[in-house]
Amino acid sequence: LKKGLSAYYVIDGQQRLTTLTVLAKAIYDSLSKETRKDSGITTDIKSYLFYKNNTSDPFNKSLVRISHSRIDAKYYNHIIRAGLFDDCPEIEDYNALESSESRIYDCYKYFRNVLKDRTEEQLHKLHDALFEEENKVFVLIVLEHGDVNEQCIFDTINRAGKKLSAADIIKNNLFK
């Protein structure tokens, strides 16, 4: 995940971040083209999902904030960049995306199908629920060199929810 000029490694939450950003892009893509031209949602999509190496760079030089593994990067970047960059046209028929290629495509198709009958006002409210400051959708814990081991934090967070398997507990203790 990249924010400004700093790069952060995501220890826990890659799936959540991916799902939320795909949802945000699905909301954007569900809006009419006319609304997108004039919407603050477009501004949010461009600023939250992309970054520029230099603030003076034009938007078309922007990069996707979340870097995925080589397996998922192609599909994630396709969804996030579609319709915003000249080299990546808008996805006209999202149901034609091949599910067997990527679970990211499945996620996008699911959201687009759920959102297709929503009004523009409902789409705006959903977007606002994700991005307004007071909603605090994301929790960011930044560790500096020499801070507590990130594996300890990961282990503590995960023990509060779904029970870890014996293999996960052993793996976490090995990483400590």
Side-chain angles (χ1 to χ4, degrees):
L1 173 67
K2 296 192 179 195
K3 181 180 180 180
L5 298 176
S6 301
Y8 295 96
Y9 292 100
V10 177
I11 303 302
D12 185 29
Q14 296 92 330
Q15 290 174 330
R16 274 170 280 222
L17 288 172
T18 297
T19 302
L20 287 170
T21 55
V22 170
L23 171 59
K25 186 60 166 49
I27 293 168
Y28 170 82
D29 290 345
S30 297
L31 293 167
S32 68
K33 288 180 184 180
E34 190 61 36
T35 300
R36 277 188 250 161
K37 275 187 215 172
D38 219 13
S39 175
I41 294 176
T42 302
T43 304
D44 284 348
I45 290 297
K46 288 180 175 182
S47 63
Y48 287 115
L49 302 187
F50 301 94
Y51 74 98
K52 298 185 272 185
N53 279 325
N54 303 298
T55 56
S56 62
D57 289 345
F59 177 72
N60 66 1
K61 299 246 185 213
S62 295
L63 303 168
V64 176
R65 282 192 189 269
I66 299 176
S67 300
H68 277 274
S69 68
R70 64 176 176 76
I71 296 168
D72 291 329
K74 170 183 168 186
Y75 307 106
Y76 180 76
N77 288 344
H78 175 228
I79 294 297
I80 300 302
R81 291 173 47 88
L84 294 168
F85 294 86
D86 294 337
D87 65 336
C88 195
E90 187 172 340
I91 299 168
E92 297 293 337
D93 182 9
Y94 58 87
N95 283 311
L97 295 171
E98 194 56 51
S99 293
S100 63
E101 290 186 51
S102 172
R103 302 282 293 163
I104 291 173
Y105 280 174
D106 286 341
C107 178
Y108 179 76
K109 287 167 52 171
Y110 171 80
F111 286 138
R112 287 297 307 270
N113 280 315
V114 167
L115 296 170
K116 71 182 175 192
D117 295 325
R118 306 293 168 129
T119 66
E120 301 257 323
E121 182 181 343
Q122 290 172 321
L123 293 171
H124 279 263
K125 284 182 180 180
L126 183 55
H127 171 83
D128 291 344
L130 284 176
F131 288 100
E132 283 183 347
E133 280 290 317
E134 56 275 353
N135 290 329
K136 307 291 185 224
V137 174
F138 298 104
V139 174
L140 176 64
I141 301 170
V142 178
L143 300 176
E144 300 295 329
H145 182 69
D147 283 347
V148 68
N149 185 310
E150 68 272 0
Q151 218 42 59
C152 292
I153 293 171
F154 178 80
D155 187 38
T156 302
I157 291 169
N158 274 348
R159 284 192 183 179
K162 185 179 172 189
K163 224 170 168 43
L164 293 176
S165 70
D168 288 331
I169 292 169
I170 292 168
K171 180 182 73 172
N172 285 349
N173 286 320
L174 287 173
F175 281 118
K176 285 182 188 175

